[in-house]
C-alpha cells in the first residue's frame, strides 16, 4: 500500500470507483473540486473530529462526513481513498493501518492543496542544504483567525525578548512570522532580527516567498504559541517547540495526537506534564517542565500602568479576566455559549449590579479592571462607563504595547473563572477568586482537565453577586482568605516560582 499524490496522470485510477475522502476541510474540498472533476465520484468523507461531522455542500451536492467507525462498513472492492488534509503523511499512517486490517492493499492518494504544493517545492529545493543559525518565532492562532497584536505576543515574545537581552542574536538570526512586518520598524536597527509576513507563504512576489521559505526550511529552531500547522513539513533535524499559551483548567475539545507535529512543548509542573501528554497525545520526553516564558514578565510589571492606561487613582487594583463565551466573527467554531443578562459578564450581569459594584469600589478606594479575552466578541459586552470599573479591550493593550502578564504583575488581586492566567498569577502569592456561577454548565459544555475542579481552584469561590462584593471588601481590607489553599496548590501546580523560565527553556534545548 503506497501513498500517491493525486495528479492528472493518475486521476484515471479513481474512475469508476467510489471515492472516500479522509479528513474534512472546506478549503481543501473547494480546491479539490476546482482542480479535479471528481465531485460526482465522492461518496463520503471520514473524519473523527465531531465538529466536522454531518452534511456539507460539495459542488452541487451534499456530502456526509462520518467518523472512522464507518470504515468497517465501506465495500472495499469499489472504494478508493483520498486524503484531503495538511497532515497527509500522518493520515496515511492511521488510514493504512485501519484498512490493512480489512485486507485492503490498494494505493491511497492524497490531494496537495496549492499552499502545500508551493511549500513542498521549496522543501525539495533546500532538501540537501545545511540548516542555518536561524530561530523562527510565531505566536497567535492560524492566519485565517488573525487577531491584531496576537502575532507578536505571549510566550514566544517573552522568549524572543530574553534572547535579545542575552544577545543570542550575535550567533542566531531571530526571525518573526507576523501579519504586517512594516509594523515592527522599531526593530530594523537591531542586528540579526527580521520580521516576515506569514502571508508571504502564498505571495505572488518571488522575493517575498523566497525569504519566507528560506527561513522556514533552514531554521534550526521554530518556536510557536498555538498555531503550528505552518511547520508541519519540517525536516527531522529541525526542532519545533510548542510554547502554548497556558496551563489552565479547560480541556481540549477534540483530541488530535500531536506527537509528530512538534518535538517539544513546555509546561509548568509534573501534573501538567501528565495532562498535556494525555490531551495532546505526547510522549513524556516531549514535555519540558521549565515554566512558561511569559511568567517571567510577572516579575517585571509595568511600573507606570496607571498613567499609561489613564486609570483612576486607587489603593487597590483588582483585575478580572473572564473567559470568552461568544467569540468574535471568524472564530465561530470556538464559541462555548452566550451568557444571559444585560452586561455579557458572569455574576455582575445587570447594569444595576454594575452601579452597586462601582459604588462599593469607590467606597473602598479600589479599581476593577475587566480585561476581555482577545477572542471575545466585544459586541456581546455592555459598554460600561463607570468611574471605578474600567473595561480593557485587547486592542488598547496592543496600542500601548503591554502584555497581559506585565499588567498582572501590578494587580493586588485577580478574579478569573477558568482562565490559565490564574495559574500564572498564583506564582505571585496574592489573593485570587473564581466566578463559578456557570461551573456546571461549563463543565458539561467544554469540560475540565481536573475531575473535581473545585479542589484545584487556588482561590475564593464566587457564586453570586454577594460573594463578588465580599471578595472586593476582603481585598480592600488586606485579607487573603484563600492563601493557605493557594500555597498548597502552588506546590503541586508549579515546579518553579521565579523569573528564570526563559533561561530554562534555552538550556533544555541546548541553545
Amino acid at each position: 500500500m503506497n501513498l500517491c499524490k493525486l495528479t492528472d496522470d493518475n486521476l484515471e485510477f479513481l474512475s469508476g470507483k467510489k471515492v472516500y475522502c479522509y479528513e474534512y476541510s472546506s478549503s481543501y474540498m473547494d480546491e479539490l473540486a476546482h482542480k479535479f472533476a471528481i465531485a460526482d465520484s465522492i461518496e463520503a468523507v471520514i473524519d473523527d473530529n465531531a465538529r466536522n461531522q454531518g452534511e456539507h455542500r460539495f459542488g452541487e451536492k451534499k456530502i456526509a462526513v462520518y467518523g472512522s467507525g464507518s470504515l468497517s462498513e465501506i465495500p472495499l472492492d469499489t472504494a478508493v481513498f483520498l486524503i484531503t488534509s495538511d497532515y497527509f503523511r500522518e493520515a496515511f499512517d492511521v488510514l493504512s493501518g485501519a484498512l490493512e486490517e480489512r485486507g485492503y492493499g490498494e494505493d491511497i492518494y492524497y490531494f496537495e492543496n496549492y499552499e502545500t504544493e508551493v511549500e513542498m517545492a521549496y522543501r525539495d529545493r533546500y532538501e540537501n542544504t545545511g540548516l542555518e543559525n536561524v530561530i523562527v518565532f510565531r505566536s497567535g492562532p492560524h492566519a485565517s483567525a488573525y487577531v491584531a497584536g496576537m502575532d507578536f505576543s505571549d510566550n514566544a515574545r517573552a522568549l524572543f525578548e530574553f534572547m535579545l537581552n542575552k544577545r543570542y542574536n550575535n550567533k542566531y538570526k531571530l526571525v518573526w512570522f507576523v501579519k504586517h512586518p512594516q509594523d515592527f520598524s522599531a526593530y530594523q536597527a537591531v542586528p540579526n532580527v527580521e520580521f516576515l509576513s506569514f502571508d508571504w507563504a502564498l505571495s505572488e512576489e518571488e522575493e517575498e516567498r523566497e525569504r519566507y521559505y528560506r527561513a522556514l526550511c533552514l531554521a534550526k529552531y521554530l518556536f510557536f504559541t498555538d498555531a503550528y500547522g505552518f511547520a508541519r513539513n519540517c525536516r527531522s533535524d529541525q526542532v519545533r517547540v510548542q510554547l502554548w499559551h497556558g496551563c489552565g483548567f479547560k480541556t481540549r475539545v477534540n483530541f488530535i495526537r500531536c506527537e509528530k507535529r512538534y518535538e517539544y512543548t513546555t509546561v509548568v509542573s509534573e501534573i501538567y506534564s501528565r495532562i498535556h501528554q494525555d490531551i495532546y497525545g505526547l510522549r513524556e520526553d516531549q514535555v519540558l517542565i521549565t515554566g512558561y516564558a511569559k511568567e517571567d514578565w510577572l516579575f517585571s510589571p509595568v511600573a507606570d500602568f496607571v498613567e499609561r492606561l489613564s486609570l483612576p487613582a486607587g489603593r487597590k487594583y483588582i483585575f478580572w479576566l473572564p473567559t470568552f463565551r461568544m467569540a468574535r466573527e471568524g472564530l465561530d467554531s470556538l464559541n462555548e455559549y452566550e451568557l444571559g443578562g444585560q452586561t455579557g459578564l458572569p455574576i455582575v450581569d445587570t447594569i444595576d449590579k454594575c452601579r452597586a459594584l462601582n459604588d462599593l469600589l469607590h467606597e473602598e478606594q479600589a479599581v476593577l479592571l475587566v480585561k476581555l479575552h482577545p477572542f471575545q466578541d466585544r459586541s456581546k459586552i455592555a459598554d460600561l462607563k463607570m468611574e471605578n470599573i474600567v473595561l480593557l479591550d485587547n486592542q488598547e493593550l496592543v496600542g500601548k504595547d503591554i502584555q497581559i502578564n506585565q499588567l498582572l504583575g501590578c494587580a493586588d488581586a485577580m478574579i478569573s473563572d477558568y482562565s490559565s492566567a490564574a495559574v500564572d498569577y498564583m506564582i505571585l502569592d496574592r489573593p485570587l477568586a473564581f466566578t463559578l456561577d456557570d461551573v456546571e454548565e461549563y463543565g458539561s459544555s467544554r469540560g475540565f482537565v481536573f475531575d473535581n475542579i473545585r479542589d484545584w481552584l487556588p482561590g475564593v469561590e464566587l457564586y453570586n453577586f454577594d460573594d463578588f462584593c465580599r471578595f472586593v471588601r476582603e481585598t480592600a481590607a488586606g485579607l487573603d482568605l484563600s492563601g493557605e489553599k493557594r500555597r498548597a496548590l502552588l506546590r503541586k501546580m508549579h515546579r518553579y516560582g521565579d523569573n528564570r523560565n526563559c533561561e530554562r527553556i534555552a538550556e533544555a534545548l541546548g541553545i
Side-chain angles (χ1 to χ4, degrees):
M1 192 182 305
N2 298 310
L3 177 63
C4 302
K5 177 182 173 181
L6 182 64
T7 66
D8 288 324
D9 294 335
N10 59 25
L11 187 62
E12 62 184 85
F13 291 105
L14 277 64
S15 179
K17 297 277 191 175
K18 292 183 178 179
V19 177
Y20 292 87
C21 294
Y22 188 75
E23 297 195 2
Y24 177 80
S25 161
S26 59
S27 62
Y28 257 80
M29 300 299 285
D30 289 343
E31 276 199 54
L32 175 64
H34 180 75
K35 190 169 183 179
F36 298 107
I38 62 170
D40 292 339
S41 301
I42 295 180
E43 187 72 10
V45 181
I46 311 300
D47 194 319
D48 281 327
N49 187 334
R51 290 185 173 182
N52 289 336
Q53 293 170 10
E55 279 195 338
H56 297 270
R57 182 159 294 282
F58 180 59
E60 298 299 317
K61 69 176 186 178
K62 290 184 178 180
I63 296 290
V65 180
Y66 303 109
S68 59
S70 62
L71 283 171
S72 60
E73 303 172 5
I74 296 174
L76 298 183
D77 56 333
T78 59
V80 65
F81 293 89
L82 174 64
I83 296 170
T84 45
S85 164
D86 286 338
Y87 293 92
F88 52 87
R89 295 188 185 92
E90 272 187 41
F92 174 73
D93 290 342
V94 176
L95 182 58
S96 61
L99 292 176
E100 278 180 347
E101 293 180 359
R102 293 193 60 201
Y104 186 82
E106 300 296 322
D107 291 338
I108 293 176
Y109 296 87
Y110 71 95
F111 170 64
E112 200 172 76
N113 72 349
Y114 177 65
E115 183 173 355
T116 303
E117 190 175 353
V118 171
E119 180 186 348
M120 296 311 290
Y122 281 95
R123 290 284 178 189
D124 290 342
R125 179 191 300 185
Y126 290 116
E127 182 180 11
N128 298 314
T129 303
L131 297 182
E132 299 177 346
N133 282 338
V134 172
I135 300 177
V136 163
F137 298 87
R138 180 167 172 177
S139 67
H142 298 284
S144 60
Y146 169 72
V147 176
M150 290 188 72
D151 57 341
F152 186 54
S153 65
D154 218 286
N155 284 311
R157 179 170 176 179
L159 185 60
F160 165 73
E161 290 182 349
F162 163 81
M163 289 187 174
L164 272 187
N165 184 52
K166 297 297 183 180
R167 300 184 179 178
Y168 279 57
N169 56 317
N170 286 346
K171 177 178 180 179
Y172 296 92
K173 175 180 279 190
L174 308 181
V175 178
W176 267 93
F177 289 167
V178 295
K179 178 73 171 178
H180 303 297
Q182 63 271 22
D183 292 345
F184 302 92
S185 58
Y187 289 90
Q188 281 183 346
V190 182
N192 256 357
V193 171
E194 187 173 30
F195 284 78
L196 310 177
S197 175
F198 47 65
D199 287 338
W200 290 356
L202 294 176
S203 174
E204 295 181 359
E205 298 292 331
E206 185 176 351
E207 181 185 354
E208 291 179 343
R209 287 199 316 274
E210 172 65 31
R211 291 174 67 189
Y212 174 85
Y213 282 111
R214 183 177 183 88
L216 179 62
C217 295
L218 298 181
K220 286 185 178 179
Y221 299 93
L222 297 98
F223 291 98
F224 34 84
T225 303
D226 202 348
Y228 51 81
F230 75 100
R232 63 189 178 275
N233 295 311
C234 280
R235 288 161 37 167
S236 60
D237 53 351
Q238 293 182 288
V239 177
R240 300 164 295 179
V241 185
Q242 171 62 283
L243 297 171
W244 205 227
H245 54 74
C247 286
F249 305 102
K250 300 175 287 187
T251 192
R252 188 168 184 170
V253 176
N254 289 293
F255 178 82
I256 300 174
R257 192 170 191 89
C258 294
E259 180 183 4
K260 297 180 179 179
R261 299 193 174 189
Y262 40 84
E263 281 62 57
Y264 300 103
T265 192
T266 56
V267 295
V268 301
S269 65
E270 286 78 2
I271 193 166
Y272 275 109
S273 174
R274 294 192 292 272
I275 288 170
H276 279 233
Q277 289 172 53
D278 182 40
I279 65 176
Y280 297 106
L282 301 171
R283 305 184 313 273
E284 183 178 0
D285 62 289
Q286 290 182 276
V287 186
L288 307 177
I289 306 174
T290 56
Y292 276 142
K294 67 178 179 180
E295 288 176 345
D296 290 355
W297 280 329
L298 292 168
F299 300 91
S300 302
V302 181
D304 57 345
F305 79 103
V306 174
E307 293 76 16
R308 287 182 66 179
L309 295 173
S310 301
L311 301 177
R315 290 190 306 109
K316 299 285 185 177
Y317 289 88
I318 304 171
F319 286 59
W320 183 12
L321 275 68
T323 300
F324 76 94
R325 296 297 187 274
M326 294 297 289
R328 56 196 294 173
E329 188 177 351
L331 302 174
D332 299 351
S333 63
L334 299 177
N335 287 340
E336 304 295 348
Y337 49 87
E338 187 170 359
L339 290 172
Q342 298 173 332
T343 66
L345 298 171
I347 292 186
V348 189
D349 53 358
T350 70
I351 300 300
D352 284 344
K353 286 179 182 178
C354 281
R355 293 193 181 104
L357 177 60
N358 186 70
D359 290 342
L360 171 62
L361 290 162
H362 181 76
E363 176 187 331
E364 298 289 356
Q365 298 179 57
V367 178
L368 179 68
L369 286 82
V370 185
K371 164 61 175 67
L372 299 180
H373 193 283
F375 289 167
Q376 176 66 47
D377 182 352
R378 181 64 181 81
S379 68
K380 302 295 182 182
I381 307 297
D383 188 16
L384 304 176
K385 294 186 182 300
M386 306 279 177
E387 182 182 354
N388 287 63
I389 301 177
V390 178
L391 203 61
L392 278 181
D393 188 86
N394 187 64
Q395 290 311 302
E396 184 175 357
L397 294 186
V398 171
K400 303 285 187 181
D401 195 27
I402 298 175
Q403 297 293 302
I404 184 59
N405 273 16
Q406 294 172 323
L407 205 50
L408 287 181
C410 307
D412 294 295
M414 177 180 171
I415 300 171
S416 180
D417 39 24
Y418 321 112
S419 170
S420 62
V423 178
D424 290 347
Y425 185 74
M426 68 187 295
I427 292 176
L428 295 178
D429 196 24
R430 298 174 192 170
L432 253 169
F434 295 85
T435 57
L436 302 178
D437 54 315
D438 64 345
V439 64
E440 300 298 334
E441 184 175 7
Y442 200 93
S444 60
S445 169
R446 175 70 179 263
F448 302 108
V449 296
F450 299 110
D451 291 334
N452 302 305
I453 185 60
R454 292 182 180 88
D455 294 341
W456 291 93
L457 296 175
V460 177
E461 298 178 9
L462 311 179
Y463 293 95
N464 53 51
F465 186 62
D466 288 340
D467 292 341
F468 199 104
C469 292
R470 186 180 304 112
F471 180 73
V472 170
R473 291 191 186 95
E474 290 166 358
T475 299
L479 300 177
D480 182 9
L481 300 186
S482 63
E484 186 176 342
K485 179 183 181 183
R486 184 181 63 251
R487 285 184 282 274
L489 285 173
L490 179 62
R491 292 190 288 271
K492 297 179 181 179
M493 298 172 74
H494 284 274
R495 177 186 284 184
Y496 305 104
D498 57 25
N499 62 345
R500 297 179 56 198
N501 293 343
C502 289
E503 180 182 336
R504 279 186 283 270
I505 293 169
E507 288 180 352
L509 296 166
I511 303 178

